[in-house]
Amino acid sequence: MAVERAARETIDGIVAEWVQLGRMFTAFEVSLAAKGKGVRQRHRELKGYVHQSTARQAGARYTRTLRDVGAPVQAWLYHPLNANPYTYRPLDRSDFDTAPVSAASCNGGPALRNPLPLSSALDGDGDPGDDVCGTDSQGHLVIPARLLTALGVEAETQVYLTWDAQNAELRISRAGVASRGHSAVAATNKDGSLSIPQETLKRAELDGMQSYSIEGTGNMISVRENKLG
């Protein structure tokens, strides 16, 4: 469904105000603010335009980092280039039946290495895609269980982590399929996911990235920096 003209104007006004204030925000927060001003369309109908409006108006002053915000899925957090996204206090989602992110966990993440300014050409609905992940509130990169299942790895199973700092790449493979490079053994979580701490990301020259590209084959998953557009 197309976004109504009045809704677009309201969204543009909210984004302009928040960017002027240097505020950190998600597209969902913009949609909620727009609804508070009388917009009736739902977030899933508005989010694509919110992302486009933010990219167009924030320009070189802002960037975005993919991270946990207490929602069922990770979301892009828009913030000034020089801001640390881990100081952001997520929206209280207690009314939305989702797991909150505690305030105490919102100050332990790393500063960004080389934040890239937003491109005014962002398109689509703003969803990062199945092959892009961000870190959690503590700066850990969590590889979803579905990707590990495709690798043949079950819950609470050991895997190899192999890193190549020269090429800024981290590889995950089943036990017995380790590749060349510095490596360590890790275990998947009870839900089948895998938490990779900042210390390991740093060894692979991948700490402090805004998002990560996760690509898998039959034997191995490759983790690299996701180049933002």
Side-chain angles (χ1 to χ4, degrees), residues 63-67 74 76 112 114-117 122 126-135 141 167-170 201 205-215 222-229:
T63 187
R64 63 181 187 175
T65 297
L66 186 63
R67 56 158 300 186
Q74 293 183 325
W76 290 113
L112 298 179
N114 185 29
L116 301 175
L122 291 180
D127 290 335
D130 293 339
D131 59 347
V132 178
C133 294
T135 52
L141 177 62
N167 294 306
E169 180 183 16
L170 178 68
L201 294 174
E205 292 293 331
L206 284 171
D207 56 310
M209 302 302 178
Q210 294 179 264
S211 59
Y212 296 83
S213 175
I214 316 295
E215 298 181 353
S222 174
V223 179
R224 291 178 176 271
E225 178 186 10
N226 177 52
K227 301 293 186 180
L228 299 176

Side-chain angles (χ1 to χ4, degrees), residues 3-219:
V3 180
E4 299 171 357
R5 178 178 178 179
R8 295 198 304 269
E9 293 175 348
T10 299
I11 289 169
D12 286 343
I14 293 168
V15 170
E17 177 184 354
W18 289 3
V19 168
Q20 182 65 30
L21 292 172
R23 174 172 171 171
M24 299 188 193
F25 61 88
T26 64
F28 184 65
E29 289 176 279
V30 175
S31 292
L32 283 183
K35 289 183 179 182
K37 293 179 177 291
V39 173
R40 295 182 177 274
Q41 289 182 270
R42 304 184 68 175
H43 173 61
R44 65 187 180 195
E45 299 164 347
L46 300 174
K47 63 179 180 179
Y49 186 79
V50 173
H51 288 289
Q52 294 167 21
S53 177
T54 303
R56 184 176 68 251
Q57 297 192 76
R61 293 174 290 172
Y62 263 64
T63 187
R64 63 181 187 175
T65 297
L66 186 63
R67 56 158 300 186
D68 285 347
V69 293
V73 296
Q74 293 183 325
W76 290 113
L77 174 66
Y78 290 97
H79 58 87
L81 279 167
N82 61 352
N84 186 336
Y86 291 93
T87 63
Y88 166 77
R89 298 289 179 87
L91 178 72
D92 181 1
R93 294 172 178 262
S94 56
D95 293 335
F96 298 93
D97 193 28
T98 58
V101 175
S102 67
S105 66
C106 299
N107 54 18
L112 298 179
R113 275 194 176 200
N114 185 29
L116 301 175
L118 291 173
S119 167
S120 60
L122 291 180
D123 55 13
D125 59 8
D127 290 335
D130 293 339
D131 59 347
V132 178
C133 294
T135 52
D136 63 16
S137 58
Q138 296 178 329
H140 297 173
L141 177 62
V142 180
I143 308 299
R146 55 180 172 74
L147 296 178
L148 295 163
T149 299
L151 196 65
V153 175
E154 299 178 351
E156 298 183 287
T157 300
Q158 287 189 337
V159 295
Y160 278 119
L161 298 179
T162 309
W163 53 90
D164 179 354
Q166 184 175 357
N167 294 306
E169 180 183 16
L170 178 68
R171 296 180 289 273
I172 305 166
S173 58
R174 299 191 307 274
V177 195
S179 61
R180 291 183 178 180
H182 302 284
S183 62
V185 177
T188 55
N189 301 319
K190 290 183 178 180
D191 63 357
S193 64
L194 175 67
S195 298
I196 303 176
Q198 279 291 315
E199 179 182 351
T200 302
L201 294 174
K202 187 174 183 178
R203 290 174 178 172
E205 292 293 331
L206 284 171
D207 56 310
M209 302 302 178
Q210 294 179 264
S211 59
Y212 296 83
S213 175
I214 316 295
E215 298 181 353
T217 65
N219 295 319

